[in-house]
Every structure is written in structure tokens, then in C-alpha cells.
Amino acid sequence: MGGVSILSLATAAPPHVIEQRDVMAVAPKALPEFFRQFPGMIDIFSNAGIERRRAVRPLEWYLEPHDWRERSEVYLDEALKLYECVAKDAMDRAGVKPEEIDIAITISSSGVATPSLEARVMETLGLRPETRRVPIFGLGCAGGVTGLSIASKLASAEPGTTVLVVVIELCTLALRTDRDIKEDVVSAALFADGAAALVLRSGESDGLACVNGSAEHTWPNTLDIMGWTFDPVGFGVVLSRSVPMFVERRMPEMTKTLLARCNGSLHDVARFVCHPGGGKVVDALENALKLQRGSLDHEREVLREYGNMSAPTILFALERIFAEKRKGVLALSALGPGFTATMVTIEAAYA
């Protein structure tokens, strides 16, 4: 990667805290017909591995009807607030001035904005007019890892290039009470809002870690596993129940393949850092990677306290791992729509 270093990592979440027990209590009232047909589905709220989540609106707002226009207005308003907050924090932690940013990458798949988010905050943040903008949509839960991979590639093209990556997902805005389908209940049990930002620079020896390599793989005939549908009300989640089984069956061999493409092997990895899609997915990842149960402790903790924020979630876990000053190679792994596995290996600077 041409000596690309991660100079900083910052995270942020919106102010409203929603307790899982409260969601579990109102779910049968919001979707009465569904829970009359499938009363056992209520258990998903207690089995998701989530105690609370952060959201851009209080719980009561989500129980009211909202169309695409209203949801989009909330997305734009709240995403810009989070963008400014987390980007400034990341630049401050890196000791980088806004005018030093050469490329600004925005990762978001939970809303649409044109002009894109980074264009709307350039002047507020103090970025140069010639800063190159790279807005990316559609990566879903893989966005945090893939965003890091793309940023590393772009930074390595020219020594001294400084890249700001901002990952924002407001997944709660996809919550639907107008349909009686299982995917919407799963969405209500899992998804949350949050943001993370990274600053990277090539030709820099200081920082939290250096990027060793990156790789990804998209399996054929898997478009129906994860994604969005679109209608006048808003986004509708597509999420197959087969994800944990898919992880256990496919990820062991694919992990070896991706590590090899990153010029590494299982023996090189001091710790895997995985996107915690849900409690069962974390269990499946530990099984697939032959890790001792509980090894993905920070992932479980983030899931418990923040829920599944999609793309930023793995970066919340990585922030906690950086705080431990853990030595050695970290392998970041996530799965997203496509169906795609993405990986980045980094070497902690504390070694």
C-alpha cells in the first residue's frame, strides 16, 4: 500500500438512546397482524445480542407513518451533523488541518444525497475547494472495511496524500410498520445509527497502524442475501436468514484466500476484527474462524451497546482494540450486499 498509515479513528452516535426492551414492548402493537401469525418472532429482540441503540429520532417517531420525502429530509439533516462532528474529531486526533485533506471519501448506503454529504460540509469543515470527493453508495455492512481499502489505494498513489474517510449510516430510517414481513421485524431488532471517520496518509511512519493489504470476493448468484428494495415509503431491507449458515460454511476457506491476497496467513493474525451483524452472526464468525467463544469480545460489546449500525460498526470495535494498544497484525473482515466478503490487514503501530 506504499506505506499508508492510519493516523486517527473517531466515532460518533446520535443522541437518542432506544432500549431493546422498549422496542420489544411496542413491536406487537406496531405490527399486530404479524405477531398474531408469528408470535415466536418476538424472541428475536432478546436473542439479537443488543441491549440498546442510538437513533436520530426517539422511539415514538418510528411508530408514526413517514414517506420517502420525510425520511430523506431527516437523513440529510442528521447525517450532516454527524459528518461534521466525526470528521472534525478525526482530524483533531490526527493533528491534521482541514486544508491538508487531499481526498474526502464518504461511505453511506442508508440515504441518498446529491450533492453528496462531503460537498455539503466542505466549507464548514474548511476543506480546500480542490479536495477530491469520492461518495460511495451500496456497500452496506461492508462499507467500513471497503472504505478503508479504497482510501489506502488512493493514498498510496502519491506519497504524502492525506485522505479523510467518513462512514455514516442511519439504518433506523428504514424501519417499516406498513408491511407485515419478517425482514422488517429483523430490521427493528438489529439496526441502529452511527458514524466513524478515519484519516490516512501515505509516506507517514507515525499513527495507529499501517495498512498491509486488502482483498474482497463477491460470490455469484447471491444478490438476494442482503440489500435494499425501494418504494414510495422508503428503503425496505433485504436480509436472508441464511447469513449465519453462509458464514460458517463459506468463510473458513474464503478467509484463507483473502489473507493470501493480503500477503498473509492465519498464523500472522494477532486478532480478527469482524463486523458484528447480530448475535448469531458473531457466534458463526467465531466458529468459522476457529476462535475461542468470546474472542470477539469488543464486537459483542459494541453490538450490545450500539446495535448494528451497518458500515461504521466494525470501526467502533476497532477503536476499542486500538485503545488496548494491541500488537501485531489485525485482520478486518466484513460481509455486505453483493454478496461480498471484504478484508483489510493492518499492522498495529505499537509492535
Side-chain angles (χ1 to χ4, degrees):
M1 291 293 180
V4 176
S5 292
I6 300 173
L7 301 185
S8 68
L9 167 59
T11 60
H16 300 287
V17 178
I18 297 179
E19 299 290 337
Q20 187 78 320
R21 63 175 180 268
D22 295 333
V23 183
M24 186 175 180
V26 301
K29 301 174 185 176
L31 296 168
E33 182 59 31
F34 177 87
F35 284 102
R36 273 196 293 269
Q37 293 185 52
F38 307 101
M41 280 290 289
I42 197 68
D43 292 340
I44 192 172
F45 293 95
S46 54
N47 295 334
I50 295 169
E51 292 184 7
R52 61 193 55 84
R53 287 170 275 171
R54 272 64 174 179
V56 292
R57 290 290 183 269
L59 178 59
E60 295 75 19
W61 185 90
Y62 298 96
L63 303 178
E64 302 167 353
H66 303 286
D67 61 15
W68 180 286
R69 179 187 60 81
E70 292 176 278
R71 295 171 191 265
S72 295
E73 288 175 352
V74 173
Y75 170 81
L76 191 57
D77 185 41
E78 298 298 336
L80 290 175
K81 292 177 185 176
L82 281 172
Y83 197 115
E84 184 177 347
C85 172
V86 79
K88 285 182 176 179
D89 193 8
M91 288 187 288
D92 287 345
R93 294 186 184 198
V96 169
K97 297 178 181 179
E99 58 266 28
E100 295 179 73
I101 300 297
D102 301 302
I103 301 171
I105 300 174
T106 302
I107 308 290
S108 188
S109 300
S110 51
V112 179
T114 304
S116 50
L117 299 178
E118 75 288 339
R120 296 170 184 264
V121 297
M122 285 184 72
E123 291 187 47
T124 303
L125 289 178
L127 303 184
R128 306 192 317 272
E130 60 267 31
T131 300
R132 298 189 181 187
R133 298 168 39 232
V134 186
I136 301 175
F137 176 89
L139 295 174
C141 294
V145 180
T146 303
L148 173 57
S149 171
I150 293 170
S152 300
K153 294 284 189 181
L154 292 175
S156 66
E158 184 176 350
T161 297
T162 304
V163 182
L164 170 67
V165 186
V166 178
V167 185
I168 292 181
E169 299 294 4
L170 306 185
C171 300
T172 64
L173 296 179
L175 178 64
R176 303 285 291 267
T177 58
D178 60 308
R179 311 184 303 179
D180 288 317
I181 62 175
K182 294 181 180 180
E183 287 85 348
D184 289 333
V185 176
V186 174
S187 174
L190 290 177
F191 290 120
D193 304 332
L198 299 147
V199 175
L200 293 83
R201 179 177 286 162
S202 58
E204 181 77 48
S205 57
D206 294 329
L208 299 171
C210 64
V211 180
N212 288 347
S214 65
E216 66 180 59
H217 177 85
T218 300
W219 286 277
N221 304 314
T222 56
L223 297 179
D224 60 343
I225 290 182
M226 188 181 292
W228 293 126
T229 59
F230 306 91
D231 60 38
V233 175
F235 290 177
V237 67
V238 175
L239 187 62
S240 172
R241 294 176 61 188
S242 66
V243 171
M245 186 182 301
F246 192 100
V247 168
E248 289 206 43
R249 289 181 177 178
R250 303 290 189 95
M251 281 308 291
E253 193 60 36
M254 184 49 58
T255 297
K256 296 177 185 177
T257 300
L258 294 175
L259 282 170
R261 293 177 188 167
C262 294
N263 301 312
S265 69
L266 289 170
H267 300 293
D268 300 323
V269 179
R271 194 196 193 280
F272 282 96
V273 187
C274 302
H275 170 68
K280 290 184 178 179
V281 174
V282 179
D283 291 343
L285 285 165
E286 288 180 338
N287 291 336
L289 299 173
K290 293 182 170 56
L291 301 176
Q292 183 177 355
R293 183 55 57 91
S295 296
L296 300 178
D297 52 348
H298 289 299
E299 288 86 343
R300 280 193 170 86
E301 185 178 350
V302 168
L303 186 67
R304 183 169 56 252
E305 290 297 321
Y306 291 92
N308 182 350
M309 299 168 281
S310 189
T313 316
I314 190 172
L315 299 177
F316 275 66
L318 180 61
E319 182 179 44
R320 295 175 182 227
I321 292 166
F322 278 153
E324 290 183 336
K325 300 189 182 299
R326 183 182 290 265
K327 299 179 180 180
V329 174
L330 307 177
L332 281 63
S333 175
L335 296 163
F339 190 54
T340 299
T342 182
M343 178 175 287
V344 173
T345 57
I346 62 176
E347 179 86 22
Y350 312 109

